[in-house]
Amino acid sequence: MSELRGDSRGHETRDISAGGVGCFAIVLVLGGALVLLLIGGMFWRLNEHFRGGAATRITSDRIDAPEPKLQADPEREMGKFRGREDAILNSYGWVDRGAGIARIPIERAMDLIVQRGLSPTPNTAGKTPLQMQQEKATEAKP
């Protein structure tokens, strides 16, 4: 076995310095007190600042929220909206009478697509509705 160097008791023979522990405790308490004083002073200063009313006073006029405001009865309003949309989808009517654009019920439109197919008719020559409207508008101008 190897021989232990120095004292063979196997534990620390020196005690901790009581003065060092006392100094550390005093510094710790004073540091904590200093932090508390700084935070308390900061809160006191902020309280004085806000108590003056500068930061809490409303400086602008009241602005009402734009429409639509809170719905009183969303289910009823959604029912009315769907009713209007269904009426448009299932009725004949003019989209733009001057340009000759009309709407037809959706069921009738689907029947026409089944009968005629989706290929362009010979009179449109593959033009889109927008192109036909533009041509009609340029023909109408003198």
Side-chain angles (χ1 to χ4, degrees):
M1 283 183 130
S2 67
E3 220 175 283
L4 294 175
R5 294 183 191 162
D7 201 1
S8 62
R9 289 183 252 180
H11 60 82
E12 183 71 37
T13 58
R14 294 180 315 163
D15 286 336
I16 190 166
S17 170
V21 172
C23 286
F24 177 75
I26 290 172
V27 169
L28 188 64
V29 168
L30 290 177
L34 179 65
V35 167
L36 286 175
L37 286 174
L38 289 173
I39 291 174
M42 183 182 70
F43 276 124
W44 177 79
R45 181 147 168 87
L46 287 173
N47 190 26
E48 290 297 316
H49 174 72
F50 287 125
R51 189 175 295 173
T56 59
R57 199 174 320 135
I58 297 174
T59 57
S60 63
D61 294 333
R62 180 184 170 110
I63 299 172
D64 288 332
E67 296 292 332
K69 293 188 178 186
L70 182 64
Q71 294 177 321
D73 190 2
E75 292 85 14
R76 184 178 55 84
E77 292 176 20
M78 182 58 91
K80 288 168 71 175
F81 171 74
R82 287 186 176 156
R84 287 191 306 268
E85 294 294 315
D86 286 341
I88 291 171
L89 279 175
N90 296 313
S91 66
Y92 291 92
W94 287 105
V95 174
D96 187 357
R97 186 177 285 223
I101 301 172
R103 70 171 186 270
I104 61 174
I106 190 78
E107 293 293 327
R108 177 69 180 135
M110 289 190 290
D111 290 339
L112 290 173
I113 288 175
V114 168
Q115 290 173 4
R116 299 179 187 171
L118 288 175
S119 63
T121 57
N123 62 351
T124 62
K127 296 177 185 173
T128 65
L130 179 61
Q131 290 170 335
M132 290 189 289
Q133 287 176 12
Q134 289 171 344
E135 285 179 2
K136 189 172 184 178
T138 55
E139 290 173 2
K141 292 181 182 176

